[in-house]
Amino acid sequence: MKVFVVEQQCTFLDADDNDQKAWHLCAWNEDSLVAYTRLFAPGTIYTEAAIGRVVNAAEVRGTGIGKALMERSVLTVYQLFGRTPIRIGAQLYLKKFYESVGFIQDSDIYLEDKIQHIKMILL
């Protein structure tokens, strides 16, 4: 909520019907949740497996936890669902970050919650 609703001013229902369909990967620093992703089986959100709601708390940005979280998310998707393509809906300004993990852009820019996004895939 701190990141999506407060920082990015995206007013949406955080807990949605997809929460119950997802595996939740969390990174904690003692009692504080500092990073998080949702992982989806192929056919749940997209034809491919998916990683979504990628978020890092402000206090851990720049520490490498974001890349570690995405790498762990990819490995966990493979462990859960086999070696399968993974799709994400990425905020455009994070394109280079996701490319560093191996994702490639495969859509035009679109708006979601007034923020530019692109679809990306890891084959």
Side-chain angles (χ1 to χ4, degrees), residues 43-103:
T44 307
I45 302 296
Y46 303 114
T47 303
E48 306 84 6
I51 299 172
R53 294 276 168 85
V54 179
V55 63
N56 296 319
E59 61 267 23
V60 298
R61 291 185 196 138
T63 66
I65 195 168
K67 188 165 186 179
L69 176 71
M70 279 305 295
E71 289 170 346
R72 176 66 63 92
S73 295
V74 168
L75 288 175
T76 303
V77 165
Y78 291 160
Q79 289 171 343
L80 292 169
F81 314 119
R83 183 94 181 181
T84 181
I86 303 170
R87 180 168 300 282
I88 62 173
Q91 293 181 2
L92 181 61
Y93 84 95
L94 292 169
K95 178 183 176 188
K96 287 187 188 291
F97 167 75
Y98 290 115
E99 287 174 339
S100 77
V101 183
F103 286 85

Side-chain angles (χ1 to χ4, degrees), residues 19-47:
D19 275 344
Q20 294 82 0
K21 302 171 192 169
W23 290 81
H24 302 268
L25 186 61
C26 303
W28 296 87
N29 182 9
E30 297 181 9
D31 292 336
S32 296
L33 178 63
V34 294
Y36 168 84
T37 59
R38 294 194 306 187
L39 313 176
F40 295 97
T44 307
I45 302 296
Y46 303 114
T47 303

